[in-house]
Every structure is written in C-alpha cells, then in structure tokens.
Amino acid sequence: MMSTTIPQQQHLAAPPPRSCDTFVYVGAATGSESSGTLFGKNSDRPSEENHEVIRVPPSHYDGGSSVECTFINIPQARETLDCILSKPCWMWGCEMGANSFGVVGGNEAVNTLLADELLSPDGSPTKRLLGMDLLRLSLERGKSSKHALDICIELLEEHGQGGPCCKEDSDWTYENSFLFADAQEAYVLETAGISHWAWERIKAGEYRNISNGISIRSNWGALSRDIQAICKENEWWDGTSKFDWKHAVGAGGRARSNLEACGREASGRVHLQALVAKSKTLQSPPNARWYVEHMALILRDEDSGICFRDLRGFCSTGSQISWLPKSSDVHDYSHFFTAASDPLLATYKHFTFADTIRSERDDHGSNELWNIWRSIALRKLSLTDSILDMLSSMEKDALTKLDTVRKNTQNQKKSLSFAEAIHEEIDLLQKDV
C-alpha cells in the first residue's frame, strides 16, 4: 500500500486572500411568508481584476459533449440550468451566483496542510478545475443545495482542483470552501489537497458564515473516503477521538492551536447573531426587504474588513445578496448584485429570472459599470451629496421590488430590469463624475 505520509511542505507562492466572506441564514421568519433563506457574499480579488455579472441561459447537449472550463475540458451534462453569475472576466468559473431553481452559492480560498498536493514537481500549480469552475458547474447542474453539493463533490473527486487562480500571478493557487443554499437548507463544503473534502449542513433556523479559513469541526455530515487514514498516518488525528476536520487538516492535530473563529469570521458571526436576535425582538416579524437591507449593512462593514477597499491590493470587487422564500415560483427568488468594485458606494441592483434573456452570455453592461467605479477609485474622486442621494434612491427603488413579490403589480409602475438598472447607474456616473 502506498504511503499517505505527507512530505516536508513547500511554501505556496502566495497566501490565500484575507478578504472573502459568505453568509447564510436559513428559515428567516417573515410576516407575509412562513420563512426564507437570506444569502450574502463579498467577492474579494486583486483590485485590478475586472468582474462581470453574466446571464447564462439554460441549454441541452448531446451525449459526448464537453465543456471548456478555465484550464481543462470535462464532459458536459445533458442539461444546464439558467444561471446568473458574478465572476472575474478572465476565467470561466464564478465567485458567486444563482440558478433558476433557487440555488445560490459562493466560493472562498482556504489553506490546509494538504495544499502542496496542488503543486507539480517544479512547484507550479497543476491545472485542474478551479474552485470557481466547480462552483459554476454546480450551479449550472444542481436543482437544490444538496444536489449542487453532491455535484461539486463528484467533480472534485473525478477531476481534482487546482491551477493558477490569478491571471497576473501564475504561481498563486489555493484550496476552496463553498456555501450552497436554497429556501430549505444550506451546506458548507470545505476541501483539502486535490480532492479531499468535508461538509456540514445548516438547517432551518440556523445561520453560518465562512471567511477564508477551515471552519468545520466535529459536526461534519460526511468526509472524503481516505482523509481519516491520511490524518492518522501523519499523526494529525489519534484515530479514536471524534474526528475534528479543522483540528486535523488545518492544525495538524496540535492541541494548543487556537481553533476558535477570529478576525472577519468572528465579526461575521457576531453580525449574524445580532441580525437573528433583532429579527426576533421586533413587534411583528420583519419582511424580506428588512433582511436584505441588514445583509447589505453587513457586507458594507469596512471596520471589520468584510468590505475591503484597496487601490492596489485586494478589494471587494463584487457583491451579491439573495432572498429565497419558500416558493416554487421562480419569479419569487430575488437577487441583488452591485456589478461594481465598491459595495460601500455602488448600489445593489435587483435581478430575477423573469428578466428577458437578451443574448447569449449577456453581461448587462456590468463590465462598463465596473470600469467606471474602478476609475473613480483610482482617481480618488469624492462623490457629491447629490450623486450619493441619487444612488441611495436607486437602491431603494430596487429594494421595493421585494415588497411586490406575490402581489398584484398590474397597476404599479413598471420596474427596471437588471440591465436597465446598471445603465441607469452608468448614465448617472458618466454625467456627473
């Protein structure tokens, strides 16, 4: 039997970014509906890396078809779902997104003691599926959060993860964590090395956040087949106590390691605790808009680093909030994207799958908007109070769409589509900045 002992580790060329955060609250009670799932994520990447928000329409394929991911081709599914994806322009995969079946997901960089499995003998990253590819594939194929989780694991085990994660730095690679959610439940999936994994389920009434670190402890729902044997052989686990995923693959079984949440992960947990507690102390249950507005406040928290602003390093290059009520109507699922590089200032714009598909791989004007906001940041321009008021008003208009879900909107003013909202913001900034 081949030894599973891990050799002396090399050092990867660059550490994972300390800036991504993903949140979920399953079973958030409202007054008009029984409950819903609240999801939010900031995508934090190199500050000069353009992002876009694209609509990928549903498709059917013949058997034997393949799909070209960022670095490798893999067999295509017979059916792919209608998706909205927020992603770096240069790669095939996405940082976050949603599909028309009410599944949302986000991806983050993590680092474990098995990270050197991602490297070739010469020390460069071996090209496999990026974590962002795995996320997009899971959203394109998964009709529930559990289905997306299972697809992600299947693809991870079949093809492995790895490859350069930045266009400008071919040596930078990392392992991945994921959060998949729907209106019923959510799952955190954390990976180690090429294809090892653990997952944890988040049930109705529970909340969870992930922040660029291993976080699953002994409450895992399932593990990859060989991971316990590997950890035991490397003396990261004694083989008898309850297997603690983070203690083993994250800390090598070191008893004195500080494994408690810290930094942004701890701040994010406090934010969720406060949101849940506040929602239960109101005289009447809050509505969907209340939850989305409070998630926006979390994602705009600059003091904790959840909202990350940096001209030359890493920054929050995109942001998503989703509200998923318990409904079988695709029109009831609401998604909000900034499609811009500064969630502290850029507005959240509303998207539903009821929007008309304008063209194959439609970016809705998001590339243009992203570059405008990047130019504002680089030129260190201060927006006038008038512009800030207009942006605030535009976001409020977008949030009012949550108030009309499941209501008769026949006599109401026609609301802007996602693309129209993006172009409204473009027009405002081009005219007045």
Side-chain angles (χ1 to χ4, degrees):
M1 178 179 176
M2 184 178 295
S3 173
T4 54
T5 303
I6 306 300
Q8 183 67 36
Q9 287 208 326
Q10 306 172 44
H11 291 287
L12 299 181
R18 303 299 179 192
S19 47
C20 273
D21 297 273
T22 309
F23 303 86
V24 71
Y25 176 27
V26 181
T30 66
S32 59
E33 303 151 347
S34 58
S35 66
T37 289
L38 177 67
F39 172 90
K41 182 183 190 300
N42 275 351
S43 171
D44 299 294
R45 299 277 305 173
S47 57
E48 296 183 359
E49 181 183 75
N50 290 46
H51 275 230
E52 60 187 356
V53 180
I54 64 170
R55 175 85 174 267
V56 182
S59 297
H60 290 83
Y61 300 89
D62 296 330
S65 298
S66 64
V67 54
E68 184 177 354
C69 301
T70 303
F71 297 122
I72 65 172
N73 288 11
I74 67 169
Q76 179 61 284
R78 297 298 294 267
E79 175 192 25
T80 57
L81 309 177
D82 197 356
C83 288
I84 183 80
L85 307 172
S86 182
K87 59 186 285 296
C89 293
W90 69 272
M91 70 172 62
W92 183 84
C94 67
E95 279 274 312
M96 51 196 171
N99 68 32
S100 58
F101 277 73
V103 180
V104 295
N107 150 266
E108 303 210 10
V110 296
N111 186 60
T112 78
L113 295 174
L114 293 168
D116 280 353
E117 287 187 5
L118 305 184
L119 302 180
S120 301
D122 65 0
S124 63
T126 302
K127 293 179 178 179
R128 301 183 182 91
L129 290 175
L130 292 180
M132 288 71 77
D133 295 338
L134 286 163
L135 177 60
R136 176 170 174 174
L137 290 163
S138 302
L139 291 174
E140 286 190 343
R141 303 177 183 192
K143 296 183 178 181
S144 69
S145 58
K146 182 59 165 62
H147 191 201
L149 170 79
D150 291 340
I151 289 168
C152 194
I153 290 171
E154 179 182 348
L155 293 169
L156 179 71
E157 292 186 331
E158 184 173 356
H159 304 287
Q161 66 180 345
C165 296
C166 177
K167 189 176 182 180
E168 307 303 327
D169 184 355
S170 61
D171 290 327
W172 183 41
T173 191
Y174 48 75
E175 300 142 301
N176 296 271
S177 66
F178 305 87
L179 200 160
F180 297 106
D182 58 32
Q184 311 294 331
E185 59 185 358
Y187 292 87
V188 171
L189 172 66
E190 295 180 347
T191 69
I194 296 172
S195 58
H196 308 293
W197 54 267
W199 63 253
E200 173 192 342
R201 182 185 177 216
I202 298 92
K203 303 187 294 292
E206 297 179 343
Y207 53 88
R208 188 72 154 78
N209 64 301
I210 54 176
S211 298
N212 290 124
I214 294 298
S215 60
I216 295 174
R217 302 297 303 274
S218 301
N219 54 334
W220 44 267
L223 301 167
S224 52
R225 184 180 56 185
D226 297 327
I227 190 61
Q228 288 176 302
I230 292 171
C231 290
K232 184 177 179 181
E233 184 166 348
N234 284 279
E235 299 183 348
W236 302 341
W237 176 53
D238 60 17
T240 58
S241 60
K242 177 69 173 178
F243 184 76
D244 185 325
W245 165 259
K246 180 176 182 177
H247 192 218
V249 302
R254 294 189 295 274
R256 295 183 180 179
S257 297
N258 181 11
L259 300 178
E260 297 305 313
C262 60
R264 291 180 355 270
E265 182 182 353
S267 296
R269 184 177 298 176
V270 169
H271 274 305
L272 284 177
Q273 289 171 340
L275 180 149
V276 173
K278 187 175 182 180
S279 72
K280 294 178 178 179
T281 59
L282 300 176
Q283 289 186 342
S284 58
N287 57 19
R289 178 172 177 171
W290 184 92
Y291 283 110
V292 170
E293 288 176 333
H294 279 72
M295 180 56 72
L297 292 175
I298 294 173
L299 296 175
R300 286 168 167 158
D301 177 12
E302 189 177 5
D303 291 339
S304 69
I306 290 171
C307 178
F308 202 73
R309 308 172 84 197
D310 194 322
L311 288 181
R312 298 299 178 186
F314 279 78
C315 72
S316 296
T317 50
S319 190
Q320 173 185 344
I321 303 172
S322 295
W323 174 254
L324 309 171
K326 284 189 176 180
S327 168
S328 59
D329 188 343
V330 63
H331 298 172
D332 287 351
Y333 304 132
S334 289
H335 310 282
F336 298 83
F337 296 89
T338 56
S341 58
D342 192 345
L344 197 62
L345 295 176
T347 68
Y348 284 98
K349 291 157 279 287
H350 183 253
F351 171 87
T352 76
F353 286 95
D355 280 3
T356 302
I357 299 177
R358 305 193 311 168
S359 63
E360 181 77 17
R361 200 188 174 283
D362 181 12
D363 85 334
H364 310 93
S366 58
N367 271 285
E368 183 179 1
L369 180 62
W370 195 94
N371 283 319
I372 289 172
W373 277 108
R374 177 64 178 159
S375 176
I376 290 172
L378 289 173
R379 291 155 62 194
K380 300 182 179 179
L381 297 179
S382 297
L383 301 182
T384 65
D385 289 342
S386 174
I387 293 177
L388 292 173
D389 288 343
M390 283 293 296
L391 290 170
S392 177
S393 177
M394 290 159 62
E395 181 166 289
K396 288 178 180 177
D397 287 344
L399 290 170
T400 60
K401 298 180 184 181
L402 287 166
D403 300 332
T404 62
V405 170
R406 291 184 168 181
K407 295 180 181 178
N408 184 355
T409 59
Q410 183 177 356
N411 297 321
Q412 295 184 11
K413 178 183 176 182
K414 183 181 183 298
S415 59
L416 297 179
S417 69
F418 182 62
E420 289 169 339
I422 286 178
H423 284 284
E424 182 183 47
E425 190 164 313
I426 289 172
D427 291 342
L428 172 67
L429 296 174
Q430 285 182 332
K431 175 183 177 181
D432 295 320
V433 175

